[in-house]
């Protein structure tokens, strides 16, 4: 069995094996995550809107300083981790026994007077309690700068 090691600020954080992770990343319902005028959100690439809804639910929400993810029915609030020692294009957030790394590219930009919308696609890697999984994601980055 192969083992990978994840490093955060020069310290070993979580060992993870190559076997399938047993934790589940759940959808974040409105009111459980970020409430801000500036945010980045991601959902699964193949996500479908709930019945009667126009938008899909997110699995990761961030303001840049903190983020939210829901694992096995529990919301986790994470803090921005400025130095993960990995890919300089990746952004990482941490909490106890949890490291979430998001890596994305901008696929489209919609310019507007009250804030530009950046459409994103990429991956989200979640290391939780010694296990890890990576999901393909898409989402948006938006910051409202119109009148209050």
């Amino acid at each position: 069995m192969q083992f990978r090691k994840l490093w955060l600020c020069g310290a070993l954080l979580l060992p993870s094996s190559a076997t399938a992770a047993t934790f589940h990343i759940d959808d974040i319902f409105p009111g459980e995550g970020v409430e801000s005028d500036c945010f980045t959100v991601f959902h699964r690439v193949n996500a479908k809107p709930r019945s009667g809804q126009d938008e899909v639910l997110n699995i990761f929400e961030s303001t840049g300083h903190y983020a939210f993810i829901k694992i096995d029915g529990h919301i986790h609030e994470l803090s921005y981790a400025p130095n993960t020692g990995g890919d300089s294009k990746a952004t990482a957030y941490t909490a106890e026994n949890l490291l979430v790394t998001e890596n994305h590219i901008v696929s489209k930009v919609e310019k507007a007077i009250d804030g530009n919308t950046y459409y994103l696609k990429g991956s989200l890697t979640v290391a939780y309690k010694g296990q890890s999984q990576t999901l393909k994601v898409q989402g948006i980055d938006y910051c409202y700068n119109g009148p209050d």
Side-chain angles (χ1 to χ4, degrees), residues 72-94:
D72 295 335
H74 177 73
I75 291 287
H76 296 268
E77 184 173 343
L78 302 101
S79 300
Y80 173 69
N83 181 8
T84 61
D87 185 350
S88 62
K89 295 180 184 179
T91 303
Y93 296 86
T94 62

Side-chain angles (χ1 to χ4, degrees), residues 13-14 76-79 93-99 127-129:
L13 180 65
L14 300 168
H76 296 268
E77 184 173 343
L78 302 101
S79 300
Y93 296 86
T94 62
E96 187 175 341
N97 293 315
L98 180 58
L99 172 67
Y128 179 65
K129 293 185 177 179

Side-chain angles (χ1 to χ4, degrees), residues 31-111:
E32 292 182 322
V34 169
E35 294 184 19
S36 175
D37 288 342
C38 297
F39 56 86
T40 302
V41 296
F42 289 102
H43 59 270
R44 290 175 177 83
V45 169
N46 59 353
K48 304 278 189 252
R50 293 181 297 153
S51 179
Q53 301 294 316
D54 293 331
E55 297 181 6
V56 298
L57 292 175
N58 301 316
I59 60 168
F60 182 77
E61 300 182 357
S62 164
T63 67
H65 298 289
Y66 61 91
F68 294 92
I69 193 164
K70 190 175 187 180
I71 298 175
D72 295 335
H74 177 73
I75 291 287
H76 296 268
E77 184 173 343
L78 302 101
S79 300
Y80 173 69
N83 181 8
T84 61
D87 185 350
S88 62
K89 295 180 184 179
T91 303
Y93 296 86
T94 62
E96 187 175 341
N97 293 315
L98 180 58
L99 172 67
V100 177
T101 306
E102 61 100 344
N103 198 339
H104 70 267
I105 62 167
V106 176
S107 60
K108 179 174 120 179
V109 178
E110 286 183 3
K111 296 190 180 267

